């Protein structure tokens, strides 16, 4: 996200500040928020849900579909792509107006067409120049790219379901997604960053601790760690189960109604609080509520987690929002509020429809039975 943001801000710095620049800046933030929902490692709330679900063992030893890197992508990428398209159409209409090819009848603005063609040529020249300045890929870049592709493949094929995953060959060890990540990180500190090492020269590793110390966002690490501690404290102290018990009155509602209420509440809360903090508080409560109402553990928690990233109205909601608000010249909070309100609702609606249809097909929500069904209430739907 940071590299895309820097490139985009560099591009728009060549344009006079106005609606065009504001639209481009906001598009980066919104695309980062939506794009982060497509992959398990895309945002903090995703990782938090994975951690909590792993403790619950929702697959019950392989009886049900688990939440893995592959199943996360299978569920979220269709919604991510659809929401990106909706956001693109919406931002285009809001900041640039209806394109000429959609204007039927009337006289086309030849001056505007010529200006757009000139701007297009200038942007293409700028992109070509920056691309040429990059030069060929170095050994260092190739090494990092190969390791990145390796960790993605390890995540995908750890437990792909349609074939035997590599984790099944590792006996007597509890292998998770973090195992693959740490395995690749270890090689980042071992593999040299230059070919000269193999001819007897000296070379640093692909990554050293100094770089990690200076560039790792320690604030986010502390935020997530504190959130995990808060989440565990709520569970161990009995707070999350107690709140779940107080919500047992919802058993008389259809579960789709409960779902849309949960998603709307989450969308509101995450606007005024960090999406990571929101996920840490909400997920344990929803897990307890799901068990009390005999609902699949992912039916409420998965959409609620993704909704934590559907925050487009306030800078405090997500890191991309805060970055573009600080970087954009004369960017006002009301600019984000007015622009992001529609996307908040549209993304939630798309995810809601996706969850009750495709999600049920993928995770088989309707036929889930808890291993310990004591004190579970029945629910409609």
């Amino acid at each position: 996200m940071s590299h895309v943001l820097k490139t985009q801000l560099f591009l728009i710095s060549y344009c006079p500040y106005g609606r065009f620049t504001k639209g481009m800046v906001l598009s980066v933030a919104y695309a980062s928020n939506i794009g982060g929902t497509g992959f398990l490692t895309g945002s903090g709330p995703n990782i938090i849900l994975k951690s909590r679900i792993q403790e619950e063992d929702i697959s019950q030893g392989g009886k049900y579909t688990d939440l893995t890197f592959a199943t996360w992508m299978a569920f979220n990428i269709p919604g991510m792509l659809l929401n990106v398209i909706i956001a693109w159409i919406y931002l285009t209409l809001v900041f640039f107006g209806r394109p000429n090819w959609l204007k039927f009848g009337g006289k086309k603005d030849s001056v505007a067409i010529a200006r757009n063609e000139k701007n297009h040529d200038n942007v293409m020249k700028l992109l070509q120049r920056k691309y040429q300045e990059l030069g060929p890929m170095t050994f260092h870049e190739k090494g990092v790219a190969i390791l990145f592709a390796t960790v993605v493949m390890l995540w995908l094929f750890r437990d792909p379901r349609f074939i035997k995953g590599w984790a099944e060959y590792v006996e007597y060890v509890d292998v998770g997604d973090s195992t693959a990540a740490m395995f690749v990180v270890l090689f980042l500190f071992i593999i040299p960053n230059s070919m000269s090492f193999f001819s007897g020269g000296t070379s640093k590793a692909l990554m050293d601790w100094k770089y990690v110390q200076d560039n790792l966002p320690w604030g986010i690490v502390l935020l997530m760690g504190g959130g995990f501690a808060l989440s565990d404290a709520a569970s161990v102290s009995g707070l999350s189960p107690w709140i779940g018990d107080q919500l047992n009155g919802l058993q008389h509602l259809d579960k789709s109604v409960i779902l849309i209420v949960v998603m709307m509440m989450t969308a509101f809360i995450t606007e005024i609080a960090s999406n990571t903090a929101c996920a840490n508080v909400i997920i344990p409560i929803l897990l307890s509520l799901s068990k009390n109402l005999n609902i699949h553990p992912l039916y409420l928690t998965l959409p609620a987690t993704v909704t934590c990233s559907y925050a487009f109205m306030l800078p405090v909601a997500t890191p991309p929002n805060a970055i573009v608000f600080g970087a954009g010249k004369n960017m006002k909070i009301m600019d984000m509020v007015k622009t992001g309100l529609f996307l908040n609702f549209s993304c939630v609606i798309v995810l809601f429809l996706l969850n009750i249809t495709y999600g049920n097909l993928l995770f088989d929500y309707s036929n889930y039975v808890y291993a310990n069904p004591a004190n579970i209430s029945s629910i409609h739907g």
Side-chain angles (χ1 to χ4, degrees):
M1 185 269 291
S2 59
H3 296 293
V4 175
L5 180 60
K6 290 176 182 177
T7 303
Q8 194 75 12
L9 292 177
F10 179 83
L11 267 177
I12 61 181
S13 66
Y14 283 82
C15 306
Y17 193 84
R19 294 183 63 82
F20 173 80
T21 305
K22 194 175 295 184
M24 295 295 283
V25 171
L26 289 176
S27 71
V28 175
Y30 297 164
S32 298
N33 290 337
I34 298 173
T37 64
F39 299 88
L40 190 56
T41 54
S43 67
N46 305 356
I47 300 173
I48 293 169
L49 175 64
K50 173 60 177 174
S51 175
R52 297 297 305 182
I53 287 296
Q54 195 169 0
E55 296 174 5
E56 298 292 327
D57 187 26
I58 65 168
S59 69
Q60 297 180 20
K63 183 179 179 181
Y64 300 102
T65 302
D66 201 356
L67 185 65
T68 63
F69 196 88
T71 56
W72 180 282
M73 289 177 59
F75 174 77
N76 283 295
I77 283 184
M80 178 198 73
L81 294 176
L82 183 57
N83 282 325
V84 165
I85 293 173
I86 293 173
W88 168 63
I89 295 173
Y90 171 69
L91 291 174
T92 299
L93 294 176
V94 168
F95 289 99
F96 311 126
R98 191 171 53 171
N100 287 319
W101 57 274
L102 281 179
K103 295 179 180 178
F104 302 101
K107 187 177 181 180
K108 295 186 177 180
D109 189 348
S110 59
V111 176
I113 294 176
R115 183 172 62 249
N116 289 338
E117 291 178 351
K118 182 179 179 180
N119 289 338
H120 177 269
D121 292 339
N122 290 336
V123 170
M124 290 303 298
K125 290 178 181 178
L126 176 62
L127 290 174
Q128 290 174 357
R129 187 173 74 250
K130 299 303 294 182
Y131 178 75
Q132 291 173 356
E133 291 176 0
L134 290 175
M137 286 188 68
T138 64
F139 179 81
H140 193 166
E141 293 168 336
K142 291 177 181 178
V144 173
I146 292 173
L147 289 178
F148 177 77
T150 300
V151 73
V152 171
M153 297 303 293
L154 289 174
W155 281 334
L156 287 174
F157 291 98
R158 179 179 67 86
D159 185 20
R161 294 291 177 180
F162 59 90
I163 60 174
K164 191 174 182 180
W166 61 267
E168 298 183 30
Y169 295 98
V170 183
E171 298 181 357
Y172 311 113
V173 178
D174 185 14
V175 176
D177 291 330
S178 57
T179 306
M182 294 306 299
F183 175 77
V184 171
V185 167
L186 179 64
F187 277 97
L188 286 173
F189 286 95
I190 296 176
I191 299 176
N193 65 3
S194 174
M195 287 290 293
S196 62
F197 175 82
F198 300 100
S199 58
T202 59
S203 174
K204 294 183 178 180
L206 293 176
M207 185 171 65
D208 56 25
W209 180 248
K210 175 63 176 174
Y211 182 85
V212 174
Q213 184 178 352
D214 294 339
N215 294 275
L216 187 69
W218 296 103
I220 296 178
V221 174
L222 293 175
L223 175 64
M224 293 189 64
F228 285 132
L230 176 64
S231 178
D232 288 341
S235 298
V236 173
S237 66
L239 177 61
S240 294
W242 179 83
I243 296 177
D245 291 339
Q246 307 312 304
L247 299 175
N248 275 350
L250 297 175
Q251 63 183 292
H252 302 294
L253 298 176
D254 187 271
K255 64 181 183 180
S256 61
V257 176
I258 300 175
L259 174 62
I260 192 64
V261 170
V262 166
M263 293 176 67
M264 287 297 181
M265 289 180 60
T266 303
F268 172 76
I269 294 173
T270 196
E271 288 291 352
I272 58 178
S274 162
N275 60 347
T276 302
C278 181
N280 273 308
V281 172
I282 289 178
I283 289 174
I285 296 174
L286 293 181
L287 285 173
S288 178
L289 176 64
S290 297
K291 188 170 185 178
N292 289 344
L293 301 183
N294 196 27
I295 300 176
H296 192 290
L298 293 178
Y299 184 79
L300 298 178
T301 56
L302 181 55
T305 300
V306 176
T307 303
C308 287
S309 295
Y310 290 159
F312 307 103
M313 296 195 297
L314 294 176
V316 70
T318 65
N321 290 11
I323 292 173
V324 300
F325 181 78
K329 303 174 183 177
N330 301 323
M331 178 72 71
K332 299 178 182 178
I333 291 180
M334 284 307 299
D335 294 330
M336 298 186 69
V337 172
K338 290 187 292 185
T339 307
L341 181 61
F342 170 80
L343 288 178
N344 267 41
F345 283 104
S346 66
C347 288
V348 167
I349 292 172
V350 167
L351 180 60
F352 169 75
L353 296 175
L354 187 72
N355 192 58
I356 63 176
T357 53
Y358 176 58
N360 189 44
L361 179 66
L362 181 62
F363 294 107
D364 197 15
Y365 292 141
S366 304
N367 297 318
Y368 189 83
V369 178
Y370 282 87
N372 182 17
N375 299 324
I376 291 180
S377 305
S378 61
I379 191 169
H380 303 285

